[in-house]
Amino acid sequence: MLTFFSQFIKSPIGRHLTLSIVLFSSLITLMTSAYQLISDYRGDVSRIDRVFSNIEKANLDVLAASIWVIDERLINTQLNGLIQLPDINYISIKDDSGQSWNSGNEKQTHTLKKIFPLIYKSPTDNINVGTLEVQVDMDAIYQRLFDKAILILLSNGIKTFLVAGFILFLVWYNITKHLDKLSNYCKRINLDTDFEPLQFERKEKIDEFKQVADAINSMQGQLRSSFEALKNSKAELQTALEDRERLLKLERSYKEELARQVKERTQELEQSLAALKRAQQVLVEQEKMAALGGLVSGVAHEINTPIGICLTAASAQLSHIEELIELIHSEQATLDEINAILDEYQQSCELIVRNITKASSLIQKFKTIAIDRSHEEHQCINLQSQLKEILESSLIMHPKVQAQTQLLVDPTLNIQTNVSLLNQIVSNILSNAFTHAFQDRDNNQVQIKASIEQDFVNISIQNNGITIPPEVAEHMFEPFFTTNRSKGGTGLGLSAAFNAATLLKGTMSYKADSLLGGAQFDIRIPLAQCSGPKLSTQQEMTT
């Protein structure tokens, strides 16, 4: 028994089970006791109602007749009889004249009273002669209910604790002590000692504890087998680790040798890269010089004509001035002759002004592609005007090419972008078409189209020239790739255009078949609309 109490005190399961049984039994006891007390209270109230009903049936008429004749002896006798009824502590009779008869002790609290009218029934009429007041003491009823509640709770509490103690003893005897043995056995398990099977101290029978003991014994056997296999594996792993150390040493020596070779190859590659960069700089300089030569040739060819006309007109003006001077100093000079010379002089001046204006316009267009502004800030431009200037400048750069041009751009479309990079992209594509696509061909056509798609501007440049072979198209955006190296080509035109599109945070793509039949290049750059291009000042126009 001492073992039971010590294990019960230490056992969380026992304490939890005891608390659960006591709480549940107490709840049932309270519910049943409350129901029984309520039933008893209702029974007492019903009994009092029956007493009131019996008084009303048996005593009211007699009392009314006694008061009618004022028979005090009979009235007192009836009062003494009524006061003897259960739970009645006070009775009072009052007649219509104010006289009263009392019996018992009147209380002010915890009472239940009822007032009956006393009516005397004469042969001709019913006459109200007074009232009867009956008061019941509820304290006696409450005291009986309280005593009964104490008795019920004590008896049910003793019964609950006895039942709970018996259940706990059964749980301890059949479950808890075996669980305690199982716990101590599991704590003592050591795989390095001899195997000792688990056995419970009880009669041998097949139940859940028998199944648990068999399962634990079987599991321990498997664990011991696995432990032996693990020790063997550990020995094998130790051997493998020693072999791994040897392999790691060998691998480190291989890596050191490989690192040395990689370092040597890296130095060679760096030297080759430096040489390639120098060659690239040379080719870029050659490309610049070739472009400069073409630019100078174009400038010389295009500006030579208006300058020659201006020179001829100026020479003619000098001769006209000499004639005018001779005519003025001559005495035979007439007004018609002077006017004729002045008209010729005016025509020559107009011719000089027109050709000088044309030369100035040509020089301004050459500046569009000649000046390097790759690092300039974004400017607000009219896209149609800018593309038109680039197209006209490219045609001037290739005077031998005759082509019909079509510009499909919204004249109100103003964007903010790097003008130099945009010029480089479009002029390089057009130059590539004029150089390669229109060789020995007539009826050449070039179309430039611009449209807005979401937050991007799409510029499409297509022609009807010779198509680009697939093996060339695969590499045409690579630096220094060219099919015209024997004629001075460097292969930097389309590569530079592709890089410029990338710098504008856009893309550049190629399509083999366009609507015109030749190559088509699509440029896609971010859209940044603006109100309008900034007007050039007079100083900028002069420069």
Side-chain angles (χ1 to χ4, degrees):
M1 186 60 67
L2 293 175
T3 302
F4 163 69
F5 281 111
S6 62
Q7 291 184 355
F8 168 72
I9 294 173
K10 297 178 181 179
S11 173
I13 296 177
R15 294 195 299 270
H16 181 72
L17 183 60
T18 302
L19 182 61
S20 300
I21 294 173
V22 170
L23 289 178
F24 183 75
S25 300
S26 300
L27 179 62
I28 297 299
T29 300
L30 290 175
M31 292 175 63
T32 56
S33 300
Y35 177 76
Q36 186 173 356
L37 292 174
I38 291 172
S39 299
D40 292 344
Y41 177 76
R42 289 177 178 176
D44 290 339
V45 172
S46 298
R47 180 171 50 78
I48 292 172
D49 289 337
R50 288 195 298 271
V51 171
F52 287 157
S53 179
N54 292 332
I55 291 174
E56 184 178 6
K57 292 178 180 179
N59 301 95
L60 291 183
D61 293 338
V62 178
L63 284 173
S66 300
I67 292 174
W68 177 256
V69 298
I70 310 178
D71 188 351
E72 291 189 5
R73 185 180 61 82
L74 183 57
I75 292 172
N76 291 326
T77 301
Q78 290 180 348
L79 286 177
N80 292 330
L82 291 174
I83 200 66
Q84 301 300 322
L85 293 176
D87 301 322
I88 295 177
N89 66 309
Y90 177 73
I91 294 178
S92 174
I93 298 175
K94 295 181 180 179
D95 62 3
D96 53 355
S97 63
Q99 187 177 0
S100 63
W101 294 267
N102 302 320
S103 179
N105 297 319
E106 183 179 8
K107 294 180 61 177
Q108 301 299 325
T109 59
H110 301 127
T111 61
L112 178 65
K113 66 180 180 178
K114 189 170 184 182
I115 299 175
F116 300 97
L118 298 177
I119 300 173
Y120 175 71
K121 298 178 181 179
S122 65
T124 59
D125 195 6
N126 293 330
I127 302 171
N128 188 359
V129 296
T131 58
L132 172 64
E133 179 181 349
V134 181
Q135 187 181 81
V136 178
D137 186 7
M138 298 299 292
D139 286 336
I141 297 175
Y142 294 154
Q143 186 63 39
R144 286 199 303 272
L145 292 176
F146 179 75
D147 296 340
K148 192 171 186 179
I150 295 298
L151 179 61
I152 293 173
L153 291 175
L154 287 175
S155 60
N156 286 333
I158 294 172
K159 179 179 66 176
T160 297
F161 281 106
L162 290 176
V163 171
F166 181 69
I167 293 175
L168 288 175
F169 176 77
L170 293 178
V171 170
W172 170 81
Y173 184 78
N174 292 289
I175 299 175
T176 305
K177 70 176 185 178
H178 302 309
L179 291 177
D180 186 64
K181 181 176 179 59
L182 176 61
S183 175
N184 294 328
Y185 177 81
C186 292
K187 291 178 181 178
R188 294 194 307 270
I189 291 178
N190 188 353
L191 297 179
D192 293 327
T193 60
D194 294 335
F195 173 63
E196 180 183 355
L198 172 63
Q199 292 180 349
F200 293 106
E201 298 175 357
R202 63 196 188 100
K203 293 181 179 180
E204 187 68 24
K205 57 182 177 179
I206 299 176
D207 57 5
E208 287 79 0
F209 283 103
K210 173 65 175 175
Q211 296 174 2
V212 170
D214 294 341
I216 290 178
N217 292 331
S218 176
M219 180 184 66
Q220 189 177 177
Q222 295 175 2
L223 284 175
R224 289 179 178 275
S225 301
S226 300
F227 184 68
E228 290 296 329
L230 184 62
K231 288 196 294 186
N232 296 332
S233 299
K234 182 179 179 181
E236 295 175 357
L237 181 60
Q238 187 66 30
T239 304
L241 286 175
E242 295 174 357
D243 295 339
R244 180 176 176 274
E245 290 295 331
R246 290 193 297 270
L247 291 175
L248 286 176
K249 292 180 180 179
L250 184 61
E251 182 182 2
R252 280 195 292 270
S253 63
Y254 287 156
K255 285 184 177 180
E256 292 174 357
E257 178 64 21
L258 181 61
R260 185 186 62 79
Q261 296 179 1
V262 169
K263 185 176 181 180
E264 294 178 355
R265 298 293 186 272
T266 302
Q267 293 177 351
E268 295 176 359
L269 289 175
E270 289 177 351
Q271 295 174 357
S272 301
L273 181 60
L276 181 60
K277 287 183 177 180
R278 289 194 296 270
Q280 182 180 359
Q281 292 176 356
V282 172
L283 289 176
V284 170
E285 293 298 328
Q286 291 178 354
E287 178 70 14
K288 289 182 179 179
M289 295 302 297
L292 181 60
L295 179 62
V296 172
S297 176
V299 169
H301 176 76
E302 293 297 329
I303 297 181
N304 184 54
T305 300
I307 294 298
I309 294 174
C310 291
L311 181 61
T312 303
S315 301
Q317 284 185 352
L318 289 175
S319 62
H320 291 324
I321 290 174
E322 293 176 356
E323 292 178 3
L324 180 60
I325 293 172
E326 292 177 359
L327 187 60
I328 290 173
H329 292 288
S330 174
E331 296 179 355
Q332 291 84 14
T334 62
L335 184 59
D336 292 336
E337 291 177 347
I338 295 175
N339 288 334
I341 294 174
L342 291 176
D343 289 340
E344 292 179 357
Y345 185 81
Q346 182 179 4
Q347 291 176 3
S348 298
C349 290
E350 291 176 353
L351 184 62
I352 291 174
V353 170
R354 285 197 302 269
N355 283 275
I356 289 177
T357 302
K358 181 178 180 181
S360 175
S361 177
L362 290 174
I363 292 172
Q364 189 67 27
K365 292 177 181 179
F366 286 137
K367 287 173 65 179
T368 302
I369 56 176
I371 298 175
D372 181 14
R373 297 177 179 173
S374 59
H375 300 290
E376 67 182 7
E377 295 182 355
H378 287 203
Q379 301 178 13
C380 184
I381 61 170
N382 181 272
L383 186 58
Q384 185 192 58
S385 300
Q386 191 68 27
L387 293 177
K388 184 177 180 181
E389 290 183 6
I390 299 172
L391 181 59
E392 292 177 354
S393 301
S394 299
L395 288 172
I396 293 172
M397 292 287 294
H398 301 81
K400 296 182 180 180
V401 177
Q402 300 296 325
Q404 297 179 0
T405 60
Q406 186 179 16
L407 194 61
L408 304 177
V409 183
D410 184 2
T412 63
L413 178 57
N414 300 317
I415 65 172
Q416 191 160 357
T417 186
N418 189 313
V419 182
S420 177
L421 294 178
L422 180 63
N423 291 348
Q424 186 178 14
I425 297 170
V426 178
S427 61
N428 284 8
I429 293 174
L430 292 174
S431 177
N432 186 76
F434 294 156
T435 303
H436 300 283
F438 294 155
Q439 294 181 356
D440 302 328
R441 287 173 56 89
D442 297 327
N443 193 22
N444 300 318
Q445 298 180 19
V446 175
Q447 183 188 88
I448 302 179
K449 182 180 179 181
S451 61
I452 297 177
E453 181 181 351
Q454 294 181 354
D455 295 332
F456 290 89
V457 177
N458 294 328
I459 302 175
S460 172
I461 304 175
Q462 54 180 305
N463 60 72
N464 66 338
I466 301 172
T467 58
I468 302 175
E471 60 274 11
V472 175
E474 185 178 356
H475 303 282
M476 64 183 176
F477 291 132
E478 298 177 2
F480 308 110
F481 177 81
T482 179
T483 59
N484 199 20
R485 196 176 301 279
S486 60
K487 297 182 181 180
T490 60
L492 294 175
L494 291 180
S495 173
F498 185 86
N499 292 337
T502 303
L503 291 175
L504 287 177
K505 298 182 180 179
T507 59
M508 176 178 170
S509 60
Y510 162 75
K511 186 183 296 183
D513 297 327
S514 66
L515 295 177
L516 295 181
Q520 176 177 335
F521 291 89
D522 294 321
I523 303 111
R524 181 180 174 90
I525 60 176
L527 172 63
Q529 289 187 331
C530 54
S531 58
K534 180 181 178 182
L535 296 177
S536 300
T537 63
Q538 184 64 31
Q539 182 180 1
E540 291 174 345
M541 292 294 293
T542 304
T543 305

